[in-house]
Amino acid sequence: MSDATLHYTTQDPDDFAVQIADQIESFLVAVAEVAKGDEPGSAVPFLLLEVSQLMLAGGRLGAHEDILPDERYEPDLGPEQDVDELREKLARLLEPVDVYSEVFDPYEPRTAPVPARISDDLADVIADLRHGMAHYRAGRVTEALWWWQFSYFSNWGSTASATLRALHSVLAHIRLDQPLEELDGLDTDQALGDDTLEIEAGKVMVEEIAEPLGLRSAK
């Protein structure tokens, strides 16, 4: 969706709300395009770029003074747009590297790493962002900003930052010629102990990720 259809023509492009909405809309459109799977070889670096740019919007929201909604109760938005199809497309696209390990709260003593999925994380973030975008498109700009700021602190900020680290790790291993080893059956249904985080078999990364990205010649 272009800026002309997303914003009122009288809105100042330098306005904080307009800039945040533009960044969020750009992320929503970009991830939907990646999920189509037309260019699987560029999926990981492109997602890394998009999540990085989204985190800039999140940082601006986080640094902003508390935004208070105009109304005491949030207006009813009707049924939420389903993200399951997007989640499934991303899971298929990212299958070799979809599952990763994450520490939920770095300030919680002795917090054990937990398994997570990039596809789940992105779908979760998008659900939060779409919710605020529905308010924005309905002309409830303050409500949209309040929701994006609140959900940044309560959910999508930490989720997106964890996803960013995972995507960064994938590319770093490839570019530094340090192939990731197999996660040995790791899935999001199981808990992780310290020993489970030992990773082994880089052929998965080399064959299914590095070669399609054009970072290593196919044999």
Side-chain angles (χ1 to χ4, degrees):
M1 179 178 290
S2 68
D3 292 347
T5 55
L6 181 61
H7 306 307
Y8 300 111
T9 56
T10 57
Q11 284 185 311
D12 183 351
D14 293 328
D15 183 76
F16 177 77
V18 172
Q19 292 178 355
I20 295 297
D22 279 345
Q23 288 179 285
I24 288 175
E25 177 71 8
S26 176
F27 177 80
L28 294 174
V29 171
V31 175
E33 286 298 314
V34 171
K36 291 179 180 178
D38 294 337
E39 298 183 31
S42 62
V44 171
F46 196 63
L47 287 173
L48 176 68
L49 174 62
E50 292 302 323
V51 177
S52 297
Q53 292 176 334
L54 177 66
M55 291 306 297
L56 173 59
R60 295 182 67 193
L61 285 164
H64 198 282
E65 61 185 9
D66 287 350
I67 300 168
L68 300 177
D70 295 328
E71 302 177 37
R72 182 176 180 183
Y73 299 104
E74 183 181 9
D76 184 17
L77 290 172
E80 296 282 353
Q81 188 175 353
D82 186 40
V83 295
D84 285 344
E85 182 179 358
L86 178 69
R87 186 196 318 273
E88 291 167 3
K89 288 180 179 179
L90 288 169
R92 288 194 294 270
L93 185 64
L94 299 169
E95 191 217 351
V97 292
D98 196 22
V99 178
Y100 69 98
S101 61
E102 168 65 6
V103 175
F104 182 71
D105 188 343
Y107 283 98
E108 183 70 26
R110 294 180 296 280
T111 299
V114 296
R117 288 183 181 274
I118 296 175
S119 56
D120 287 345
D121 289 350
L122 289 174
D124 194 25
V125 169
I126 283 174
D128 274 347
L129 299 180
R130 282 178 176 174
H131 186 91
M133 188 59 72
H135 284 303
Y136 188 84
R137 288 175 175 152
R140 296 186 291 270
V141 176
T142 304
E143 188 78 32
L145 289 174
W146 170 81
W147 172 258
W148 284 328
Q149 186 187 61
F150 167 76
S151 56
Y152 168 75
F153 285 121
S154 63
N155 185 50
W156 73 261
S158 58
T159 302
S161 63
T163 306
L164 181 62
R165 289 194 298 275
L167 292 166
H168 171 269
S169 179
V170 171
L171 284 186
H173 277 278
I174 294 171
R175 300 287 172 87
L176 298 176
D177 197 22
Q178 298 172 347
L180 286 175
E181 298 177 350
E182 191 176 22
L183 289 176
D184 195 22
L186 173 66
D187 202 349
T188 52
D189 292 333
Q190 69 186 87
L192 288 179
D194 292 339
D195 294 340
T196 342
L197 297 179
E198 292 295 328
I199 339 189
E200 35 181 297
K203 292 181 180 178
V204 171
M205 179 61 66
V206 173
E207 294 173 3
E208 300 191 36
I209 296 296
E211 289 173 6
L213 286 177
L215 299 173
R216 181 164 300 190
S217 301
K219 295 180 180 179

